[in-house]
Each structure stands twice: as structure tokens, then as C-alpha cells.
């Protein structure tokens, strides 16, 4: 198994879910006492969140690039950036290392297309829903992406930062998400992307009348696929 480099801490709640899922999935596939080979660099999210709020994305990109280089130095074979929002700086992080970065937008889009869905609703932080770095990546795979109204985007975002990132799960917040999901379906969504790693702590498949795409699980599945992929056959004369 290749060594998975997890770049997490944004928030630690969702990164803990990454770790749990990777090991659950490893056990499902390999059985016995097998667990995931991984190394984790967990940042202080308080500092990153201030950079987000103040629009200091270049500085945030520098911080995550340094973390990615630390993962590479620790022996990671590829990087998994354990956050949707910070994929805003994914290209910069990828350019900072000589190992691949497994892009969350690509793994999500591929899962959506496998289900035959072409129009998806997207929930996430305000950055993910309103900006093009994530929506554009999905659109580049041929998907039509719908987002909630501006007011509903605020509700989704505030629940993420004020509750889920702190490990707080409220029934009334679940009801709000269900209402917003139903609105996306009414607008034509054939599926809904849970485009923030914390969202899966609040809602699941049963909270939507159409297929849902939980990005944390999808990213973990893709990471394990990559980690367990056989090495290509060597050509004669290769070391």
C-alpha cells in the first residue's frame, strides 16, 4: 500500500472522519488486522480560517504548501487535501511537491457521472458555493451545478463554521439543510453534493430524495484505490 499523505485539520472534526473512513475501508477491502498506511499533517484551523475571512489566500496557499512538503519529506506517495474549501489553493499546493495531489473535485465529479447524474446541487462553505474554483472544476467534467439562494448559502455556511466545525450537531440545523436540499431538487438537481467535509456529520443519504455524493467518503475511496493500485509493469532495463 502506498503511503497516503493527509493534509488536514480544517477542521479536525472532519479530518478525524477521514482517518476513520480510510481505516474502515481498508478493513473492508483487506480484512484481518489491516489498517491504512498514512501520515497526517494537521494545521491549526483558527489561523487558516482568519486567512479565509480576510481573503489572504496567497498566504493560506503558502501555509498548506509547506505542510504538503512536510508530508512529502515524511515519505508520503501522494497528498489528500482533507477539505473542499481549501481546494481554492490546490493548484499551488500541487505545484509545491513532486508527488501527486488527489483533487477532491475530480473524484467527486467522477462519482457523479458514474451514477448517470448531470445536474447536481452543491452544498458547502460560502466560498465553495459562490466561487468558481470548485463549481468550475465540476463544470469542467460536463456537470451543471446548482447552488442555494444567497440567504440559504449563508445558513449553510454559518452552520458549518459555528456548529459542525465545533462538533455541534443540532436537529434544527438538520431540518434547515433538509429544506435547502429539497429546494435544490425542486430547482432540478438530480443529485446533491455534500461539498464540505463537515456536512456528513449532519446529514446523510436519508435526508435527500435524490442520490447524495458525500465528498469525504468519495475522497477516501479514491485515496485507497490509488494507494492499492498495482505498480505498472517495468520495461526491460528499468531499475
Amino acid at each position: 500500500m502506498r503511503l497516503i499523505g493527509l493534509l488536514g485539520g480544517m477542521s479536525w472534526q472532519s479530518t478525524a472522519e477521514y482517518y476513520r473512513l480510510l481505516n474502515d475501508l481498508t478493513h473492508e477491502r483487506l480484512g484481518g488486522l489491516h489498517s491504512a498506511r498514512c501520515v497526517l499533517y494537521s494545521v491549526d484551523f483558527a489561523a487558516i480560517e482568519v486567512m479565509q475571512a480576510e481573503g489572504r489566500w496567497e498566504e493560506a496557499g503558502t501555509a498548506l504548501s509547506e505542510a504538503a512538503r512536510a508530508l512529502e519529506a515524511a515519505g508520503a506517495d501522494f497528498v489528500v487535501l482533507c477539505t473542499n474549501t481549501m481546494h481554492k489553493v490546490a493548484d499551488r499546493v500541487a505545484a509545491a511537491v513532486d508527488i501527486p495531489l488527489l483533487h477532491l473535485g475530480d473524484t467527486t465529479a467522477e462519482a457523479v457521472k458514474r451514477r448517470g447524474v448531470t445536474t447536481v446541487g452543491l452544498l458547502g462553505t460560502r466560498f465553495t458555493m459562490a466561487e468558481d474554483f470548485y463549481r468550475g472544476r465540476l463544470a469542467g467534467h460536463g456537470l451543471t451545478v446548482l447552488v442555494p439562494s444567497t440567504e440559504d448559502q449563508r445558513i449553510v455556511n454559518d452552520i458549518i463554521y459555528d456548529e459542525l466545525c465545533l462538533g455541534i450537531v443540532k436537529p434544527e440545523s438538520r431540518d434547515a439543510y433538509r429544506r435547502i436540499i429539497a429546494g435544490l431538487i425542486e430547482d432540478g438537481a438530480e443529485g446533491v453534493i455534500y461539498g464540505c467535509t463537515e456536512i456528513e456529520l449532519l446529514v446523510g443519504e436519508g435526508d435527500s430524495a435524490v442520490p447524495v455524493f458525500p465528498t469525504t467518503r468519495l475522497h477516501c475511496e479514491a485515496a485507497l484505490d490509488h494507494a492499492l493500485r498495482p505498480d505498472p509493469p517495468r520495461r526491460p532495463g528499468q531499475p
Side-chain angles (χ1 to χ4, degrees):
M1 183 186 292
R2 292 173 176 84
L3 185 62
I4 304 168
L6 299 172
L7 206 176
M10 300 164 280
S11 66
W12 75 263
Q13 303 281 347
S14 62
T15 302
E17 189 70 359
Y18 263 89
Y19 184 75
R20 184 189 68 79
L21 281 169
L22 274 173
N23 283 288
D24 280 349
L25 291 167
T26 300
H27 176 72
E28 287 174 14
R29 296 194 192 187
L30 302 181
L33 296 177
H34 285 288
S35 55
R37 290 189 68 236
C38 60
V39 57
L40 168 64
Y41 190 113
S42 186
V43 303
D44 179 4
F45 188 41
I48 299 296
E49 190 276 332
V50 171
M51 295 176 197
Q52 292 177 343
E54 296 180 354
R56 291 155 47 200
W57 293 103
E58 183 173 348
E59 189 175 343
T62 297
L64 295 192
S65 293
E66 291 173 356
R69 284 193 288 268
L71 289 172
E72 184 176 25
D77 291 302
F78 62 100
V79 175
V80 173
L81 182 54
C82 305
T83 160
N84 286 270
T85 298
M86 295 312 295
H87 273 71
K88 183 175 173 72
V89 297
D91 289 345
R92 181 167 181 177
V93 174
V97 292
D98 293 323
I99 55 177
L101 181 145
L102 193 63
H103 199 289
L104 185 49
D106 294 338
T107 62
T108 299
E110 288 161 7
V112 171
K113 291 192 295 183
R114 284 196 299 270
R115 291 291 296 269
V117 171
T118 58
T119 300
V120 288
L122 174 63
L123 300 180
T125 66
R126 62 186 175 90
F127 307 106
T128 301
M129 291 184 288
E131 298 185 24
D132 190 58
F133 71 91
Y134 198 86
R135 293 166 56 177
R137 191 87 177 199
L138 297 173
H141 287 268
L143 301 177
T144 299
V145 183
L146 308 177
V147 295
S149 67
T150 301
E151 174 59 18
D152 281 345
Q153 287 184 37
R154 182 193 65 77
I155 293 171
V156 171
N157 181 83
D158 288 353
I159 289 171
I160 291 169
Y161 281 97
D162 297 341
E163 299 173 21
L164 300 179
C165 286
L166 300 174
I168 299 169
V169 177
K170 295 182 178 180
E172 56 267 34
S173 296
R174 183 176 293 111
D175 290 341
Y177 268 50
R178 287 170 173 167
R179 176 187 60 78
I180 293 167
I181 290 168
L184 290 170
I185 296 170
E186 187 175 338
D187 289 340
E190 303 162 344
V192 178
I193 294 172
Y194 292 166
C196 178
T197 47
E198 285 82 10
I199 288 177
E200 293 161 62
L201 304 176
L202 182 65
V203 289
E205 292 183 4
D207 297 294
S208 170
V210 297
V212 300
F213 299 93
T215 57
T216 302
R217 174 172 285 275
L218 294 173
H219 211 189
C220 288
E221 289 173 348
L224 196 54
D225 286 344
H226 192 76
L228 294 173
R229 188 181 65 194
D231 289 322
R234 294 178 179 177
R235 296 190 301 271
Q238 277 189 311

